[in-house]
Amino acid sequence: MACSFVYDTFPQNEDEPNLIMENAEYVRIVNGNPEVRVNAEEIRRYEAKHTMELDNLSFEQYNAAPEGQEAIPEVNTRGKAGQARMETDTGNVNISGGVSITVISEDFSMETTELSWQDKERLLNAPGTVNITRSNGTTMKGTQFSADARSRSWEFGSAVEGSVVEDDNN
């Protein structure tokens, strides 16, 4: 007895997902090392569009391994959101719906309604209101937030309110 699958019998509508996963975990591997781990209530993958849509997700991003070395997975960033749309070919991500992110290496947490990550450029943008807190009690609130991960710099495009607590060791 033999079995075969004929995939081209029914044309695939690119607006229909090729794969739907519920209560799933997705791990993006780069150069043999985990880069990000995402858990989602639902993941829909669209091969023709090179995208994935995720609902009710949480994620962890790991520190990159030195060139040519195997990484020991160490979480650098944690977050959660209601929805996300990831471009599987570029690594760019748009996140919305109660976005909460903590960057451990920079000692800050942020909350906003939506943000976008441009992977190649290493840029983070949030057009709406962003609340930032640090463990030392610093709080900031403003709009049009942008961050450059390469230069480790960030700014608001509007007036900022809050309080900055100076650390004794700086």
Side-chain angles (χ1 to χ4, degrees):
M1 177 180 227
C3 182
S4 66
F5 295 94
V6 180
Y7 292 100
D8 61 355
T9 303
F10 301 100
Q12 177 72 29
N13 178 346
E14 72 176 30
D15 292 329
E16 294 179 17
N18 298 83
L19 179 65
I20 299 173
M21 297 176 281
E22 295 179 350
N23 300 314
E25 180 177 81
Y26 169 81
V27 180
R28 183 174 181 202
I29 305 292
V30 176
N31 297 325
N33 294 305
E35 183 178 72
V36 67
R37 177 182 310 274
V38 180
N39 290 292
E41 189 175 287
E42 184 172 281
I43 300 175
R44 295 171 301 284
R45 189 172 176 108
Y46 301 82
E47 296 300 331
K49 294 180 179 182
H50 303 283
T51 61
M52 288 192 330
E53 295 175 352
L54 304 95
D55 293 329
N56 298 321
L57 63 132
S58 63
F59 62 90
E60 296 179 334
Q61 181 181 5
Y62 301 99
N63 288 325
E67 189 72 29
Q69 294 184 17
E70 185 175 327
I72 298 171
E74 181 180 10
V75 175
N76 182 50
T77 305
R78 286 190 171 91
K80 64 180 181 175
Q83 300 85 33
R85 183 175 187 272
M86 173 187 279
E87 297 174 1
T88 58
D89 56 345
T90 65
N92 295 344
V93 182
N94 292 310
I95 305 172
S96 61
V99 181
S100 175
I101 296 177
T102 299
V103 182
I104 298 163
S105 64
E106 300 297 326
D107 182 32
F108 82 86
S109 296
M110 67 183 292
E111 292 183 0
T112 188
T113 56
E114 66 178 295
L115 61 81
S116 65
W117 169 254
Q118 297 172 348
D119 196 54
K120 183 178 179 183
E121 296 83 2
R122 313 294 294 164
L123 298 175
L124 183 70
N125 291 292
T129 300
V130 175
N131 293 302
I132 292 181
T133 58
R134 296 188 73 192
S135 63
N136 69 358
T138 294
T139 62
M140 291 180 223
K141 179 179 179 179
T143 59
Q144 301 170 348
F145 176 85
S146 63
D148 183 330
R150 287 189 176 136
S151 65
R152 295 177 55 176
S153 64
W154 50 275
E155 65 184 14
F156 286 95
S158 68
V160 178
E161 60 184 61
S163 59
V164 176
V165 177
E166 291 290 328
D167 290 327
D168 290 337
N169 58 357
N170 288 338

